[in-house]
C-alpha cells in the first residue's frame, strides 16, 4: 500500500459503516476490474461505507449515490482528485480540480481542442501510428499490449494536440511512467513536477514564436481580462496528457483482455463490422475503470449517512453502469440497447475527451482485428489489476500465430489482403494516396 492508514475513527463515522477496504488494491485475479467492483458492491457492504485505509475516506458503491455525488458539485468538490489529500498534485490539474463557476472558465479553453474537426485530425494521426505499430508487431506473434500499443496512441494524441516534436517522446514516456507507476509517492510527485517543467518550457517557446497550436492559444488566452498564470497553464496542459493516457490505455487493456478470452465476440466483430459502433458503447459501459474522488464541501446527509466537510469520498464509475435490477449487466452484448453510463463521469466534469476516446477505441478495433484477428493471453501469464485514478492491467502479454504479410485473410465472407484490412471500413493509412 502506498499511503498510511488512519489510526483513530472520526467521531461522526458509525462503526457499523466501517469496512476494511484498500481502494488501490482490488481482488481481480482474472484482470476484470469492473466485475471485481460489482462483487464488492454485492458482498453486502453498505452503499456508503468508510475505510480507515489511505488516510481514511468514504466509498460510494450504490449506482444512485455514484451519479448523485458526481452531479452535485455544490456539496462534493473536485478540489481533491484522489485519496489521501496529500497525494493531490500542486498546482492543481485544471479544470479537473476546480469547481463551478471557476471550472467553466477554464474548461471552455480546451473545448476548442476537442471539436469534431480537431478530433478527426487527431484520429487520422493516431490511425497512422496504430497501423505502423500493429504492422511492426503482427509478424512477431507476441507483444506486451499495454506498452507496445495501448499507451502509444494517447501519447501520440497528446503530442499532436500540443504540436510537440517527435524527439520529446522518450522524455514524455519516462515522465508518464513515473506518474502512472510510482514505486513510492515521491516518485509520482516528481513526475508531476517534471511534467510541469516540460509544459512551461513549451509555453515560453510558443510565447516567443506563436503558432496555430493549442499551447500557443493557451499561452495567449485570457480569463477576466488577464493572461493565465503559470500554474493554470501547467494544469491545463497536464490534463490533456493525464486525463487521456491511463484511461485510454486502461480501457484498451480491459477490452483486449476480454476479446482474447472470447473468440465468439472477436468473430462477431470481424463478420459484422457494422456492430463496431455499438460494441464501442458496450465496451465503454462494461469496462469502466475510473475511480473518482470528491471532497465534501459542507456537512451533508446522504441516504441517512452524515458526511462532514473535508471528508473524501471515492466514487467508482463502473458502479454507475451495473443497475441492480436482475439483468445480467456483466455479460457483453453488442446488441444491448444503449444506456446512459457513468464511464465518462457525470455532471460539470463530464469527460471532454469522450469523442476522442471513442475514436481511439474504434481505431484499435478496426486496425487490430483486421491484422491480428485471433490472439490469446499465454497460460503462464498472471494478470494483475493496478488501481490509481484509473484501473489498468499494467502488463498484458498476448500471443498469436503470425500471419505472413501478404497472406490472404478471411473477413465478413470475403477474402481480402491482411494489410488492406476490413473491406467495409475506412483505412486511410493503407490507401494508395497516402
Ligand atoms: C476511455 C477513455 C476515457 C475515460 C474512461 C475517461 C473518463 C473521464 C472521467 C470519468 C472524467 C470525469 C472526471 C471527474 O468528474 O472528476 C473525465 C474528465 C476529463 N477527461 Fe476523460 N476519459 C477518457 C479519455 C479522455 C481523453 C482521450 C481525453 C483527452 C485527451 C480526456 C480528457 C478529459 C478532460 C480534459 C477531463 C476534465 C473535464 C473537466 O474537468 O471539466 N479524457 N474523463
Amino acid at each position: 500500500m502506498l499511503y498510511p492508514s488512519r489510526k483513530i475513527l472520526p467521531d461522526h463515522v458509525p462503526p457499523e459503516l466501517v469496512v476494511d477496504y484498500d481502494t488501490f488494491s482490488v481482488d481481480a485475479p482474472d484482470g476484470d476490474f469492473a466485475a471485481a467492483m460489482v462483487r464488492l458492491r454485492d458482498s453486502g457492504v453498505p452503499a456508503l461505507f468508510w475505510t480507515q485505509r489511505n488516510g481514511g475516506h468514504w466509498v460510494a458503491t450504490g449506482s444512485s449515490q455514484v451519479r448523485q455525488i458526481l452531479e452535485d458539485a455544490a456539496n462534493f468538490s473536485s478540489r481533491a482528485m484522489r485519496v489521501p489529500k496529500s497525494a493531490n498534485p500542486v498546482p492543481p490539474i485544471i479544470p479537473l480540480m476546480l469547481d463551478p463557476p471557476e471550472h467553466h472558465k477554464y474548461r471552455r479553453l480546451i473545448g476548442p481542442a476537442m471539436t469534431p474537426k480537431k478530433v478527426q485530425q487527431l484520429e487520422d494521426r493516431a490511425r497512422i501510428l496504430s497501423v505502423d505499430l500493429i504492422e511492426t508487431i503482427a509478424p512477431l506473434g507476441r507483444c506486451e499490449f499495454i506498452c507496445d500499443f495501448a499507451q502509444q496512441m494517447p501519447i501520440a494524441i497528446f503530442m499532436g494536440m500540443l504540436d510537440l516534436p517527435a524527439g520529446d517522446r522518450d522524455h514524455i514516456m519516462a515522465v508518464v511512467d513515473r506518474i502512472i507507476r510510482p514505486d513510492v509517492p515521491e516518485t509520482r510527485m516528481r513526475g508531476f513536477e517534471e511534467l510541469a517543467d516540460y509544459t512551461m518550457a513549451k509555453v515560453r517557446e510558443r510565447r516567443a514564436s506563436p503558432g496555430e497550436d493549442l499551447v500557443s492559444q493557451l499561452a495567449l488566452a485570457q480569463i477576466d481580462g488577464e493572461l493565465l498564470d503559470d500554474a493554470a497553464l501547467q494544469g491545463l496542459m497536464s490534463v490533456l496528457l493525464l486525463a487521456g493516457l491511463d484511461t485510454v490505455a486502461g480501457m484498451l487493456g480491459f477490452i483486449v483482455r476480454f476479446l482474447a478470452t472470447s473468440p465468439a465476440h472477436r468473430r462477431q466483430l470481424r463478420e459484422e463490422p457494422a456492430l463496431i459502433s455499438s460494441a464501442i458503447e458496450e465496451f465503454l459501459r462494461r469496462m469502466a475503470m475510473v475511480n473518482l474522488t470528491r471532497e465534501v464541501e459542507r456537512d451533508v446527509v446522504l441516504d441517512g449517512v452524515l458526511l462532514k466537510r473535508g471528508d473524501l469520498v471515492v466514487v467508482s464509475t463502473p458502479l454507475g453502469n451495473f443497475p441492480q435490477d436482475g439483468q445480467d449487466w456483466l455479460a457483453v452484448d453488442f446488441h444491448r440497447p444503449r444506456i446512459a453510463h457513468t464511464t465518462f463521469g457525470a455532471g460539470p466534469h463530464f469527460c471532454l475527451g469522450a469523442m476522442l476516446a471513442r475514436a481511439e477505441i474504434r481505431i484499435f478495433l478496426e486496425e487490430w482485428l483486421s491484422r491480428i484477428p485471433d490472439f490469446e493471453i499465454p497460460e503462464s501469464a498472471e494478470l494483475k489489476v493496478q488501481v490509481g485514478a484509473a484501473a489498468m492491467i499494467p502488463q498484458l502479454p498476448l500471443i498469436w500465430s503470425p500471419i505472413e504479410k501478404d497472406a490472404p485473410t478471411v473477413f465478413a465472407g470475403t477474402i481480402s489482403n491482411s494489410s488492406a484490412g476490413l473491406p467495409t471500413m475506412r483505412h486511410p493509412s493503407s490507401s494508395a494516396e497516402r
Side-chain angles (χ1 to χ4, degrees):
M1 190 174 52
L2 280 177
Y3 305 104
S5 294
R6 189 175 175 133
K7 300 271 180 294
I8 299 170
L9 192 65
D11 290 344
H12 65 288
V13 177
E16 66 273 18
L17 292 187
V18 180
V19 174
D20 183 21
Y21 171 70
D22 180 358
T23 187
F24 297 120
S25 149
V26 67
D27 184 19
D30 53 356
D32 190 343
F33 175 69
M37 294 312 292
V38 170
R39 270 199 304 279
L40 168 76
R41 180 197 66 190
D42 294 347
S43 68
V45 296
L48 204 52
F49 69 79
W50 175 272
T51 170
Q52 287 284 77
R53 304 257 188 164
N54 299 298
H57 61 89
W58 295 101
V59 180
T61 64
S63 54
S64 65
Q65 286 85 354
V66 166
R67 197 169 272 280
Q68 207 177 335
I69 292 171
L70 296 182
E71 286 175 350
D72 183 0
N75 284 312
F76 296 96
S77 163
S78 289
R79 129 181 11 105
M81 60 172 273
R82 52 186 288 138
V83 293
K85 282 185 187 167
S86 60
N88 285 285
V90 182
I93 297 184
I94 292 175
L96 262 181
M97 297 173 72
L98 293 180
D99 294 320
E102 277 309 283
H103 161 256
H104 180 69
K105 296 180 188 170
Y106 291 89
R107 180 176 163 107
R108 70 177 175 77
L109 295 180
I110 38 180
M114 308 286 183
T115 60
K117 191 171 162 210
K118 286 278 163 52
V119 169
Q120 181 63 58
Q121 287 165 358
L122 293 167
E123 186 178 337
D124 291 347
R125 190 180 166 126
R127 197 178 283 272
I128 295 170
L129 173 91
S130 302
V131 171
D132 278 355
L133 286 171
I134 299 167
E135 290 194 341
T136 305
I137 56 179
L140 305 178
R142 61 176 57 239
C143 76
E144 193 291 286
F145 181 75
I146 302 299
C147 284
D148 292 343
F149 185 83
Q151 285 181 343
Q152 309 283 340
M153 213 180 346
I155 291 179
I157 293 256
F158 169 71
M159 297 187 68
M161 265 193 280
L162 300 191
D163 197 18
L164 302 174
D168 290 3
R169 184 181 177 77
D170 288 348
H171 176 65
I172 295 173
M173 297 275 286
V175 170
V176 159
D177 210 54
R178 282 191 270 286
I179 293 176
I180 293 189
R181 278 177 281 269
D183 43 0
V184 288
E186 292 70 33
T187 308
R188 184 180 165 80
M189 295 318 255
R190 185 159 57 89
F192 281 125
E193 282 161 20
E194 287 174 325
L195 182 60
D197 290 346
Y198 174 81
T199 49
M200 284 319 291
K202 293 295 158 199
V203 168
R204 282 191 291 277
E205 272 173 28
R206 306 288 161 91
R207 272 195 180 132
S209 158
E212 298 291 309
D213 61 287
L214 186 61
V215 184
S216 305
Q217 285 165 25
L218 291 176
L220 300 172
Q222 296 192 354
I223 287 189
D224 301 333
E226 304 273 342
L227 284 174
L228 305 187
D229 62 22
D230 287 3
L233 284 165
Q234 283 166 24
L236 279 167
M237 282 189 280
S238 306
V239 82
L240 294 174
L241 177 61
L242 298 177
L245 182 73
D246 45 354
T247 49
V248 172
M251 175 64 71
L252 289 179
F254 289 117
I255 293 174
V256 162
R257 183 208 67 88
F258 172 77
L259 285 175
T261 53
S262 179
H265 286 86
R266 291 199 303 268
R267 197 175 328 111
Q268 235 185 329
L269 290 178
R270 286 200 309 272
E271 290 176 359
E272 251 186 288
L275 273 182
I276 285 198
S277 295
S278 48
I280 293 170
E281 288 316 306
E282 177 64 348
F283 283 139
L284 283 168
R285 177 196 70 79
R286 173 60 177 78
M287 312 294 169
M289 63 333 156
V290 174
N291 274 348
L292 298 171
T293 298
R294 293 292 190 260
E295 182 171 333
V296 178
E297 185 64 18
R298 54 181 73 89
D299 293 4
V300 60
V301 176
L302 185 63
D303 285 339
V305 178
L306 171 65
L307 311 180
K308 291 284 257 185
R309 178 185 160 81
D311 286 354
L312 296 186
V313 192
V314 168
V315 178
S316 192
T317 58
L319 292 176
N321 300 352
F322 296 87
Q324 291 160 287
D325 59 3
Q327 279 195 60
D328 183 5
W329 291 100
L330 281 169
V332 173
D333 176 358
F334 298 151
H335 294 284
R336 196 189 284 282
R338 199 167 162 165
I339 65 155
H341 55 67
T342 48
T343 303
F344 290 122
H349 291 274
F350 184 85
C351 178
L352 268 170
M355 202 191 319
L356 205 46
R358 288 188 168 95
E360 292 181 64
I361 298 169
R362 172 177 292 279
I363 291 170
F364 160 72
L365 292 173
E366 292 178 352
E367 305 298 349
W368 183 282
L369 289 177
S370 63
R371 289 169 177 80
I372 308 180
D374 282 310
F375 50 93
E376 51 190 280
I377 300 166
E379 266 175 33
S380 57
E382 281 178 33
L383 296 192
K384 291 198 178 89
V385 172
Q386 173 185 293
V387 190
M392 73 187 309
I393 301 170
Q395 289 195 320
L396 183 53
L398 294 179
I399 48 173
W400 58 88
S401 304
I403 299 172
E404 291 194 12
K405 199 167 177 358
D406 296 319
T409 309
V410 180
F411 282 117
T414 37
I415 298 211
S416 73
N417 182 293
S418 64
S419 62
L422 295 169
T424 51
M425 291 174 183
R426 197 170 50 85
H427 283 275
S429 56
S430 54
S431 65
E433 66 269 25
R434 297 183 61 241

